Amino acid sequence: MNRLRVTPGPVLALTALWLAARALTLWLLLHDSAPLLGGGSVAREVWRLYFHWYGVLAHGSFPAHDTLWQYPPGAGAVLLAPGLLPGLTYFQAFVVLTLAVDALIAAVLVRAGTRPGRSLLGAALWTGGLPLLLHLPLARYDVAVTALAVLSLLTVSRSPRAAGVFGALGALVKVWPALVLLGTPPGRSTRTAWAWATAAGTAALGVLAVFFTAPLSFLREQGGRGVQIESLGGTALNLARHAGWSGRVRYQYGAMELVGPHAHAVASASLALTAVAFGLLVLWRVRAAHWNEATPYDAALSAVLLFTVTSRVISPQYMIWLIGLAAVCLTSRRTSQRPVAVLVLAASALSTVAYPMCYREVVDGSWSGCLLMLARNALLAAAAVLSFVRVWRAARPPAGKNAPTTQPRPGSDRLPDRALTTS
């Protein structure tokens, strides 16, 4: 019987690193008003916007007529959670809960990494990589969303039911965690995960619909979004300003968006590219013939990268998702995504330079701002292409060999050590 083997040295080192890094991010949050840290714009999202939504949600309604409310109904539960901590302001409680969820992610990554044949690189990437975003993760609820995705992926081999539930709850909070179920092992595991995801999602949505009015109001506001300045389309339009394009930047739908001639066409092109990305992922799923323990992790990172780079919006907090998924990939020694993880870390560092450090240059469309976003988005695009290519190649059986057809034992949710095949 395999026993969990824990090496105290690396685990203690990771614990010390986590404590030191989070202490630093807390210090940065306390000095959020410094011009180089955004002049208060990072923390303002919590104590002004999130707290305002908390007041609306506490009265049993979603912010139905607020153009800034563009989130699925599960987000309401996350934003209400700080109110459960007595004796703290909303902002303080939000930060405490975010740190607790951050610690949970680190803990489950350590647990996964200390299993036989696994690696602590994933825990190290999360612990050391998240601070590249400075104090931003402490002032966004994306850490909580990422936790649900991480839990879904790390439970898929042992309990597809739990993986489906976590994935569904994540999707109800911010949609994208539904993508983590794309790479579930074929056969019984996939059927179980998706069935439980459907059931859990339906039940949770039903509960929210009973206790809150207008749970689906976010769809109207989400559909009206344009080209956000930090997206690939936004970078192209910002560069076009230097070639005489007459468009301008406008604050709308909670983001700095580019409006003017052809901006709608760029937004439509982004949606079309997202559809193409979805088609590629479906094609991969149908054609995949070689499965291993890392396949669900790698497919999740690839899917979220593709949807991120083709989106009309690439907010800085999206990097939290990518760091979390890359960390899950690195818990497996069989992952194909190690170079992709490096690109994600580099893109995260540049995202921090863009926001909050040099956001004025980005908004003004100066050459430095344009080149900064061009570099960041080029890294993300390269990561997305490389990730998909490596996932595609890894799903092919070894050249000149027929992949084994070993399937899990009846009644077992665990993947066998050898590759799985599908027809």
Side-chain angles (χ1 to χ4, degrees):
M1 179 179 179
N2 288 331
R3 293 181 180 274
L4 184 67
R5 294 178 292 183
V6 179
T7 305
V11 174
L12 289 175
L14 284 171
T15 302
L17 176 61
W18 188 91
L19 290 171
R22 275 37 179 192
L24 174 60
T25 55
L26 273 173
W27 184 87
L28 292 172
L29 186 62
L30 291 173
H31 295 80
D32 177 66
S33 59
L36 194 61
L37 296 178
S41 63
V42 175
R44 188 182 303 127
E45 185 117 345
V46 178
W47 60 260
R48 178 180 292 179
L49 186 59
Y50 287 5
F51 183 61
H52 166 69
W53 286 337
Y54 169 82
V56 177
L57 290 162
H59 287 86
S61 176
F62 287 94
H65 302 291
D66 188 342
T67 59
L68 302 184
W69 180 256
Q70 302 152 17
Y71 308 108
V78 176
L79 297 178
L80 282 170
L84 300 176
L85 298 186
L88 297 175
T89 67
Y90 183 85
F91 181 83
Q92 291 169 341
F94 183 91
V95 173
V96 167
L97 288 177
T98 302
L99 280 171
V101 174
D102 177 3
L104 172 65
I105 295 174
V108 297
L109 288 169
V110 166
R111 180 173 175 81
T114 50
R115 290 175 183 153
R118 293 298 190 98
S119 171
L120 284 170
L121 280 177
L125 186 142
W126 174 259
T127 302
L130 196 64
L132 289 174
L133 300 173
L134 303 183
H135 55 303
L136 178 74
L138 294 180
R140 299 293 184 272
Y141 79 88
D142 295 83
V143 173
V145 184
T146 303
L148 292 168
V150 169
L151 289 169
S152 178
L153 287 171
L154 291 179
T155 56
V156 70
S157 63
R158 294 174 177 267
S159 177
R161 297 172 183 174
V165 172
F166 285 128
L169 294 178
L172 273 178
V173 176
K174 213 164 188 180
V175 180
W176 69 265
L179 295 171
V180 303
L181 297 177
L182 175 73
T184 49
R188 179 183 175 185
S189 292
T190 289
R191 292 192 298 271
T192 301
W194 291 358
W196 277 76
T198 302
T202 302
L205 182 59
V207 170
L208 289 168
V210 168
F211 289 99
F212 298 90
T213 60
L216 301 180
S217 60
F218 76 99
L219 293 173
R220 178 178 61 253
E221 309 305 339
Q222 186 63 241
R225 298 204 70 167
V227 181
Q228 191 242 9
I229 199 168
E230 295 171 72
S231 66
L232 267 70
T235 300
L237 290 177
N238 233 355
L239 286 168
R241 294 166 77 180
H242 291 276
W245 182 63
S246 59
R248 57 190 176 86
V249 176
R250 177 193 297 169
Y251 180 78
Q252 57 186 18
Y253 295 98
M256 304 303 293
E257 296 186 351
L258 286 154
V259 296
H262 312 300
H264 181 72
V266 172
S268 299
S270 295
L271 292 173
L273 287 174
T274 299
V276 171
F278 180 74
L280 288 173
L281 292 169
V282 171
L283 180 63
W284 168 83
R285 176 78 197 194
V286 172
R287 297 287 299 274
H290 186 77
W291 240 263
N292 62 53
E293 67 177 18
T295 302
Y297 310 160
D298 296 354
L301 177 58
S302 182
V304 176
L305 270 168
L306 285 172
F307 272 73
T308 297
V309 299
T310 59
S311 174
R312 294 168 294 172
V313 179
I314 305 181
S315 297
Q317 57 264 32
Y318 289 15
M319 304 308 301
I320 300 172
W321 318 342
L322 300 176
I323 291 173
L325 295 178
V328 173
C329 291
L330 293 191
T331 62
S332 173
R333 299 182 187 278
R334 305 182 70 179
T335 183
S336 63
Q337 301 296 297
R338 288 188 185 89
V340 177
V342 174
L343 291 176
V344 167
L345 289 178
S348 298
L350 281 181
S351 287
T352 295
V353 178
Y355 180 86
M357 291 178 145
C358 300
Y359 199 53
R360 174 48 54 191
E361 284 77 5
V362 175
V363 172
D364 291 342
S366 67
W367 274 113
S368 59
C370 288
L371 293 176
L372 177 59
M373 293 314 308
L374 183 63
R376 197 285 301 268
N377 288 337
L379 284 172
L380 281 180
V385 172
L386 180 62
S387 178
F388 184 73
V389 168
R390 293 179 75 88
V391 166
W392 183 277
R393 289 176 177 172
R396 299 171 60 187
K401 296 182 180 180
N402 292 322
T405 57
T406 304
Q407 297 290 338
R409 296 187 305 276
S412 172
D413 288 329
R414 297 184 63 182
L415 282 171
D417 292 334
R418 288 172 289 177
L420 298 179
T421 61
T422 59
S423 56

